[in-house]
Amino acid sequence: GLGASALDEAAVREVFRVKGRPLTDPLIVHVGCLEDALALVEIPEGSLAHEGFVALANEFWPGGLTLVAPAKPHLPTCLSAGTGTVGLRVPS
C-alpha cells in the first residue's frame, strides 16, 4: 500500500496523484487505535453517535471495518473529497 500523513495536505494530494485517484474519491485513514481515530472526528463525547462509534470500533477493530464520521476541521478537505466526513480504520 501507499501511505502518507493524513494531516499533511501536500502529502495527501501526492497520494491522489500517484494512485491516479480522482479528488472526488475520498481516502481511508488508517490509525493505530480508537483514541487516534477519536482525535480526528467531531463526535460529542457522551452522544449516541459517540457511543455507537466506540462500540463498533471495540467490536470490529483491528479489522476491515471503516467507520465514517464528521471530520475535525484541521484535516485537509481533499482527504474527504470535500464531504466533511472522514473514513477511519484500524487495520489488522
Side-chain angles (χ1 to χ4, degrees):
L2 181 63
S5 171
L7 303 177
D8 182 339
E9 183 168 356
V12 171
R13 287 186 177 276
E14 184 67 4
V15 170
F16 277 100
R17 187 191 70 74
V18 168
K19 293 181 87 172
R21 187 179 185 122
L23 289 172
T24 55
D25 189 5
L27 296 174
I28 296 170
V29 177
H30 288 188
V31 293
C33 63
L34 173 58
E35 291 74 23
D36 294 343
L38 290 172
L40 300 177
V41 297
E42 288 280 345
I43 304 175
E45 196 167 337
S47 68
L48 184 58
H50 185 271
E51 291 175 16
F53 189 96
V54 170
L56 287 167
N58 284 332
E59 181 67 26
F60 297 104
W61 285 354
L65 179 68
T66 299
L67 294 175
V68 178
K72 290 261 179 145
H74 69 275
L75 290 177
T77 55
C78 63
L79 183 67
S80 66
T83 63
T85 60
V86 62
L88 300 153
R89 179 185 306 163
V90 175
S92 29

